[in-house]
């Protein structure tokens, strides 16, 4: 199969995160004259109370500043998520941060054997990524996020993603306070929807916040006290146990406007010689995304939709994971997702939203 469509991603994995931040976006995202064709009708979908033309977009991660967000909107990604920010400057993990991996089938959770990297980004498109949730200081990202919010046109909406940073003391109370403080900073940018990222470890491969239901409850409750009526989405990982997912949903389901799932599936990643592929301590295990995890995203969508109905809740389900082809969007919609987002697929196939739009005309 030809790999030509995977040669010009809008985030360039061959250079550092900082270089991407300053020089990007790349490929067609760099062309200010590119824009999608609309049919002329009004947006006929609703997402967290906001009208959108297409309930499709890009999740937290690839849209690292306002230039990337604005380009995503121009390319028809009507739900664009500004990359997860923090209350303080946090550096990115060492380059490289993205590598193609050799996985032709579904990547199961708890896989014992390592995933092996390869030389090309080709189909089926799967990658590993390891950034460490870098963030600028608020005095940089707040005005930039404001610009990103304002770049939305009719029928488009931006989500401001954020997370708490663990204090050196390890205090749970201070950790929750940091989530709340960061939420307040995001709200100040006029972001119409906020997303609390509960699916990324704060240090290395540490425990994910979303699996600690009591912690999630305290975080979500405190954030809602801070942001009031502004819609709040939580981003979660894949849950193996149905009982654990149901406990989470019944605990916070009435407090949130939406649940986004999934992020990545962790796996050990090595090169062809069996050596750790990503340099640095704590980076043997990194997140896998792309086609290999689509099964998990679809399954979580189905489970969330089912639990929502069983417990008479009304949060929206945002399906994420392995959307690399137009038909993948429809698989998620058929599974009950209210909206769908694509990171890996959109990065290497910037025209994906336009292709979906064209098919729906």
């Amino acid at each position: 199969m030809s790999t030509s469509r995977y040669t010009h991603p809008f985030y360039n994995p061959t250079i550092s995160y900082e270089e991407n931040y300053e020089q990007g976006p790349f490929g067609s995202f760099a062309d200010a004259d590119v824009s999608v064709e609309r049919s002329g009708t009004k947006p006929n979908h609703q997402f967290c109370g906001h009208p959108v033309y297409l309930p499709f977009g890009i999740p937290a991660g690839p849209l690292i500043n306002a230039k990337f967000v604005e380009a995503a909107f121009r390319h028809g990604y009507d739900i664009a998520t500004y990359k997860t920010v923090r209350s303080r400057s946090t550096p990115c993990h060492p380059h490289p941060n993205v590598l193609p991996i050799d996985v032709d089938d579904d990547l199961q959770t708890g896989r014992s054997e390592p995933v092996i990297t390869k030389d090309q980004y080709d189909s089926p498109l799967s990658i590993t990524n390891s950034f460490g949730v870098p963030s600028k200081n608020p005095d940089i990202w707040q005005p930039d996020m404001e610009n990103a919010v304002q770049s939305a046109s009719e029928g488009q909406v931006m989500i401001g993603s954020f997370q708490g940073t663990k204090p050196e003391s390890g205090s749970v109370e201070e950790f929750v306070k940091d989530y709340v403080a960061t939420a307040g900073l995001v709200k100040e940018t006029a972001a119409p929807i906020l997303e609390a990222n509960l699916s990324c470890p704060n240090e290395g491969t540490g425990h994910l916040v979303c699996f600690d239901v009591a912690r999630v409850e305290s975080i979500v409750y405190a954030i809602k006290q801070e942001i009031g009526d502004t819609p709040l989405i939580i981003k979660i990982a894949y849950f193996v146990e149905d009982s654990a997912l149901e406990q989470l949903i019944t605990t916070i389901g009435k407090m949130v406007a939406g649940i986004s799932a999934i992020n990545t599936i962790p796996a050990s990643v090595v090169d062809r010689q069996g050596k750790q592929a990503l340099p640095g301590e704590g980076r043997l295990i990194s997140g896998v995304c792309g086609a290999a995890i689509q099964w998990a995203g679809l399954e979580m969508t189905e489970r969330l939709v089912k639990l929502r109905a069983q417990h008479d809740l009304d949060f929206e389900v945002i399906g994420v994971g392995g959307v690399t082809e137009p038909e993948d969007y429809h698989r998620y919609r058929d599974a009950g997702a209210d909206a769908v987002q694509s990171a890996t697929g959109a990065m290497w196939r910037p025209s994906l939203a336009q292709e979906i739009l064209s098919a729906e005309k």
Side-chain angles (χ1 to χ4, degrees), residues 247-267:
Q247 183 186 7
L248 176 71
I249 298 313
T250 56
T251 301
I252 53 82
K254 291 184 178 180
M255 291 191 282
V256 299
I259 298 177
S260 176
I262 62 174
N263 192 336
T264 65
I265 291 180

Side-chain angles (χ1 to χ4, degrees), residues 5-13 25-28 346-350:
R5 72 183 185 199
Y6 295 133
T7 57
H8 300 291
F10 67 71
Y11 180 97
N12 184 352
F26 301 95
S28 69
M347 284 169 64
W348 272 270
R349 192 171 180 172

Side-chain angles (χ1 to χ4, degrees), residues 305-322:
V305 169
K306 182 179 178 180
L307 286 168
R308 179 178 63 185
Q310 286 178 347
H311 295 283
D312 194 26
L313 298 167
D314 62 0
F315 59 81
E316 300 196 27
V317 176
I318 302 98
V320 187

Side-chain angles (χ1 to χ4, degrees), residues 97 99 101 107 127-131 205 263-267 269 278 283-289 293:
N97 304 104
L99 293 172
I101 56 172
L107 177 73
I127 65 171
T128 185
N129 77 80
S130 173
F131 288 89
T205 57
N263 192 336
T264 65
I265 291 180
V269 182
L278 294 163
R283 297 181 77 199
L284 172 61
I285 297 176
S286 58
V288 169
C289 45
I293 70 165

Side-chain angles (χ1 to χ4, degrees), residues 37-242:
E37 295 182 6
R38 301 292 187 183
S39 63
T41 61
K42 292 289 184 180
N44 58 1
H45 296 279
Q46 289 286 320
F47 175 73
C48 292
H50 294 269
V52 294
Y53 280 104
L54 183 71
F56 182 60
I58 298 177
L63 305 181
I64 60 178
N65 60 34
K67 294 182 296 181
F68 284 77
V69 171
E70 190 271 339
F73 283 140
R74 283 191 287 101
H75 280 71
Y77 294 92
D78 292 336
I79 304 171
T81 308
Y82 191 105
K83 194 203 82 63
T84 304
V85 294
R86 297 179 185 252
S87 63
R88 69 200 73 168
S89 176
T90 306
C92 184
H93 284 335
H95 179 75
N97 304 104
V98 177
L99 293 172
I101 56 172
D102 191 8
V103 179
D104 291 332
D105 53 6
D106 295 342
L107 177 73
Q108 299 300 316
T109 60
R111 172 175 168 143
S112 57
E113 65 271 22
V115 171
I116 301 173
T117 59
K118 59 183 181 180
D119 296 328
Q120 296 187 73
Y121 296 93
D122 53 19
S123 184
L125 180 62
S126 294
I127 65 171
T128 185
N129 77 80
S130 173
F131 288 89
V133 196
S135 177
K136 301 292 186 181
N137 270 320
D139 61 350
I140 295 176
W141 66 251
Q142 274 193 304
D144 189 67
M145 187 179 286
E146 289 178 4
N147 291 336
V149 171
Q150 295 167 10
S151 69
S153 299
E154 180 188 33
Q156 298 181 323
V157 65
M158 198 212 78
I159 302 169
S161 177
F162 65 96
Q163 75 170 59
T165 301
K166 288 182 179 178
E168 292 183 6
S169 66
S171 166
V172 173
E173 180 180 348
E174 293 301 316
F175 183 46
V176 174
K177 285 182 178 180
D178 193 74
Y179 256 105
V180 174
T182 313
L185 292 169
V186 174
K187 185 177 179 180
E188 288 175 3
T189 71
I193 302 170
L194 272 61
E195 179 183 274
N197 190 343
L198 307 174
S199 63
C200 284
N202 288 295
E203 289 88 21
T205 57
H207 183 66
L208 300 184
V209 178
C210 62
F211 297 140
D212 187 335
V213 175
R215 185 80 50 86
V216 172
E217 181 180 21
S218 62
I219 289 171
V220 170
Y221 178 81
I223 290 172
K224 286 302 295 178
Q225 298 304 301
E226 174 71 18
I227 69 173
D229 293 335
T230 302
L232 176 67
I233 295 169
I234 60 169
K235 180 68 174 288
I236 64 174
Y238 178 81
F239 277 64
V240 174
E241 299 294 334
D242 286 337

